[in-house]
Amino acid sequence: MSKSIIILGIESSCDDTSASIIKDGKILSNVIGNQKVHEKYGGVVPELASRAHLQNIIPVVHQAIEESGIDKKDISAVGFTRGPGLLGSLLVGVSFAKSFALANNIPLIDVNHMQGHILAHFIRDKNGNGNPPKFPFLCLTVSGGHTQIVKVNDTLGFDLIGETIDDAAGEAFDKSAKLLGLPYPGGPLIDKFAKDGNPTVFTFGIPKVDKLNFSFSGLKTSILYFIKKQTKENPNFINENMNDICASIQHSIINILMKKLEKASKETGIIEIAIAGGVSANSGLRTRLKEMENSHSWETYIPPFSYCTDNAGMIAITAYFKFLESDFCDQSISAKARMTV
Ligand code: KG4
Ligand code: ZN
């Protein structure tokens, strides 16, 4: 029997410090250390994020190895997020991974965070069960920093066919939430209030953007003016209408996303459709995608909640596929804040 491939994955691109062990494509552990420190600032503070990563990284890696039940000496390679992300945050993960590889004399594998979000669909559970999309498929990757439509040709072949020209979908959620006085990250809170609201009470326009690209900055501005106008007339407007406002904002963001995803499917003829990234945890988006499956004969793929937001499982699975291709990097590698998929 050939030797098992055991990957330690490290993720530190934004405000989550995470480590995961994947053995032959099956996930054995996925530990995430969240950073509460940013809540009161209404967004991630880069300097505080890198300091928190420094504090978290060793305990998080230790816990991931312990929970997996494997022996540290059996790890075949270490995969880490090279970018895109916050440079100071990335540097913590990159430096740790390099030292770990050197100390244990194992190969080092650099991973693109956006590819990781997409390949999270290929993570199998401990028993080997999973539901990966079939190639080629389209993936709508929606996170706090990115909004992209990617044509995925195989595990390591990606064509970026559409992206945002300004804010990301996650930013649209978070910035709208901030206008409503909600703490960071506001996306999950908008989702929560929207569940009890009517999405058609307030309407916000859909931007006209070329090709398969997106724009969310206009939506943010129209929400800002709408809130200003309404609270001038009724200072309690937000509190009295929170559910309907959140449902209407969420509805508008989902409409913008779905319109372009529908266009991408029509233009490419691809009906295998996946979503990925933090915003794919949104219940409204998940429901709408399932509705599209019926109305458009799509085959849709939604990752489990734990693989939507940033986690090292998605980095470990990408590193696993690169390991199979002997696609390693050396110690001269550095973090890269800006990278395309
Ligand atoms: O992928 P992710 O964890 O980090 C980045 O790579 O950016 O995505 C974080 C984003 C945040 O903007 C957060 O508000 C959003 O995902 N998010 C949600 C939900 N859960 C997380 N947005 C809407 N509804 C949710 N349930
Ligand atoms: Zn992410």
Side-chain angles (χ1 to χ4, degrees), residues 176-192:
S176 306
K178 200 172 173 181
L179 293 173
L180 300 174
L182 300 171
Y184 177 86
L189 291 168
I190 293 203
D191 190 354
K192 185 173 149 246

Side-chain angles (χ1 to χ4, degrees), residues 13-14 16 113 117 142-146 169-171 173-174 184-188 191 250 277-279 281-283 308-310:
S13 66
C14 190
D16 296 300
H113 181 85
H117 271 303
V142 271
S143 72
H146 295 84
E171 270 176 297
F173 271 105
D174 296 339
Y184 177 86
D191 190 354
Q250 181 170 298
V279 180
N282 183 266
S283 55
C308 289
T309 43
D310 290 349

Side-chain angles (χ1 to χ4, degrees), residues 296-334:
H296 289 62
S297 305
W298 286 359
E299 200 64 56
T300 65
Y301 300 87
I302 302 176
F305 280 113
S306 51
Y307 305 149
C308 289
T309 43
D310 290 349
N311 69 92
M314 68 188 209
I315 303 306
I317 194 74
T318 309
Y320 169 70
F321 289 125
K322 291 186 88 171
F323 187 98
L324 295 178
E325 301 294 322
S326 302
D327 190 351
F328 305 125
C329 64
D330 62 37
Q331 289 281 336
S332 65
I333 192 110
S334 55

Side-chain angles (χ1 to χ4, degrees), residues 221-240:
T221 313
S222 63
I223 294 170
L224 172 70
Y225 286 121
F226 166 78
I227 298 286
K228 268 192 178 161
K229 184 168 173 280
Q230 298 291 338
T231 46
K232 210 171 164 188
E233 288 164 17
N234 170 13
N236 265 334
F237 175 76
I238 294 179
N239 280 342
E240 287 169 11

Side-chain angles (χ1 to χ4, degrees), residues 13 81-86 90 112-114 146 336-339:
S13 66
T81 304
R82 182 185 185 201
L86 300 170
L90 290 165
N112 178 318
H113 181 85
M114 301 310 293
H146 295 84
K336 217 169 162 209
R338 288 177 176 274
M339 282 174 88

